[in-house]
Amino acid sequence: AKEAGRGGHAFFERFMFDEAEDNRLLEQDVREALSSNGLTLAYQPIIDASTGEIVAREALLRWRHPRRGDIPPDQFIPIIEDAGLIHQIGDWVIREACAQAARWDSRMRVAVNISAAQLSGAGLSKTVLGALASSRLEPSRLELEVTENVFLGDDAATLTSLERLRALGVRLVLDDFGKGYSSFGYLSRAQFSKIKIDQSFVRGAAEGSKDCVAIVHAILALARGLGVETTAEGVETEAQAEVMRCLGCAQLQGFHFGRPVPVEEFAGADEAVRHR
Ligand code: C2E
Ligand code: CA
Ligand code: CA
Ligand code: CA
């Protein structure tokens, strides 16, 4: 048993070492990607549930590693944060998304994800202000998506940051709503314009889970009461879309309506719609 214990320990240490080394290599690679346009944005449409029209697009960070291929943001964003690069990269995302959206139909919004680490710096509102000014994007066309994680750290600093952003006229969105445990409380802390209902409830409700239906129903009632918009996330089937529509969710997003794609794949389409 002792032997096995030691063996297990050695294995664990090796595993830890490899992961640390892995992250260090990735960190060098991401620095390189940043300076050589290796990071890009893909945009996923958000649909008006009653008209089917695209009302917004969410910008999602993409990294195609020269040897490892596509690395998902869930995996590389923590590395970026540990490396202290999140502000640099996050700022680029905001400027790039605003510059893109300024070329779209003037009713279309753009959504950008903001991590807790980004919000904790004092510079975010300056970046947003600069991005709005240089792109000439209407502030109300920019949505900043945060998860309730942002409330786990220094509450006062977070609230100040969120208020500063709202004062610029941008819209704050509470992402992954319902995924955590005490989401309802967070809604009263900052003035959110929209909440995004986590995919797990969309799935559950369509599979006939009474609990999920009840939760979605409650979230939508709450949102109506607060005058807050709602988007259902991760809608993959028409059945899921139908359930969310019936329950009264105003906007839908998911692979059923469109995957995140590079701007080249839809550029010009908005123009075509406008001149039709
Ligand atoms: P998120 O903000 O919740 O974004 C939605 C994720 O769900 C995206 O994954 C999207 O591709 C995926 N998705 C959309 N529709 C469907 C669907 O119908 N089914 C399924 N299974 N998935 C769907 P992605 O692009 O891998 O991003 C993962 C997370 O990484 C995002 O979750 C967000 O938290 C973070 N992220 C992405 N881009 C950025 C960024 O520029 N900055 C920051 N701070 N975080 C980002
Ligand atoms: Ca999001
Ligand atoms: Ca989400
Ligand atoms: Ca998520």
Side-chain angles (χ1 to χ4, degrees):
K2 213 173 172 190
E3 284 301 304
R6 259 209 305 263
H9 187 64
F11 173 79
F12 183 65
E13 260 179 2
R14 162 168 303 193
F15 173 77
M16 296 288 284
F17 174 77
D18 283 351
E19 190 176 6
E21 168 135 314
D22 229 42
N23 286 356
R24 198 176 53 76
L25 288 175
L26 280 179
E27 187 183 320
Q28 286 170 5
D29 295 346
V30 81
R31 282 181 199 276
E32 214 166 285
L34 185 61
S35 59
S36 64
N37 302 320
L39 296 174
T40 59
L41 292 178
Y43 295 89
Q44 185 180 32
I46 299 173
I47 305 294
D48 181 304
S50 48
T51 67
E53 268 179 68
I54 300 174
V55 292
R57 288 194 170 96
E58 179 174 0
L60 294 156
L61 197 51
R62 294 290 176 260
W63 181 19
R64 177 154 295 172
H65 191 280
R67 289 177 309 282
R68 299 180 192 210
D70 293 329
I71 302 181
D74 281 339
Q75 231 168 70
F76 71 77
I77 286 172
I79 296 172
I80 289 176
E81 291 183 342
D82 287 346
L85 291 171
I86 188 64
H87 293 293
Q88 206 177 335
I89 292 172
D91 288 1
W92 173 80
V93 170
I94 293 166
R95 286 194 304 268
E96 175 67 19
C98 288
Q100 276 304 333
R103 301 184 196 132
W104 303 346
D105 183 295
S106 64
R107 288 159 301 180
M108 189 131 13
R109 295 180 178 136
V110 67
V112 173
N113 292 285
I114 304 289
S115 73
Q118 284 174 273
L119 205 60
S120 72
L124 187 60
S125 61
K126 233 184 210 163
T127 300
V128 171
L129 188 63
L132 291 171
S134 61
S135 65
R136 303 194 181 179
L137 186 75
E138 187 77 33
S140 63
R141 288 178 60 199
L142 176 61
E143 297 187 326
L144 300 179
E145 299 193 355
V146 301
T147 64
E148 62 184 44
N149 283 347
V150 301
F151 295 108
L152 296 180
D154 181 350
D155 230 356
T158 301
L159 287 182
T160 309
S161 292
L162 290 174
E163 269 157 27
R164 231 183 249 137
L165 291 166
R166 259 197 63 84
L168 300 177
V170 305
R171 292 156 50 90
L172 301 180
V173 175
L174 191 52
D175 205 349
D176 297 350
F177 191 79
K179 207 178 173 185
Y181 298 98
S182 44
S183 312
F184 278 39
Y186 295 130
L187 270 178
S188 63
R189 305 238 199 134
Q191 289 217 352
F192 288 100
S193 300
K194 189 199 282 194
I195 55 187
K196 298 183 82 167
I197 302 173
D198 194 67
Q199 176 176 33
S200 51
F201 299 110
V202 176
R203 245 185 220 156
E207 281 165 6
S209 153
K210 288 212 171 72
D211 290 355
C212 284
V213 170
I215 290 169
V216 170
H217 198 75
I219 293 174
L220 293 172
L222 178 73
R224 261 193 306 277
L226 294 169
V228 167
E229 282 180 21
T230 45
T231 300
E233 286 198 275
V235 179
E236 294 179 343
T237 65
E238 178 52 32
Q240 290 171 355
E242 191 51 29
V243 166
M244 296 311 289
R245 257 186 232 114
C246 285
L247 286 167
C249 188
Q251 295 166 12
L252 309 171
Q253 177 181 12
F255 295 166
H256 181 60
F257 298 100
R259 289 182 177 259
V261 291
V263 71
E264 299 81 46
E265 289 187 30
F266 61 84
D270 298 345
E271 289 296 312
V273 169
R274 201 173 354 176
H275 296 302
R276 201 177 281 159

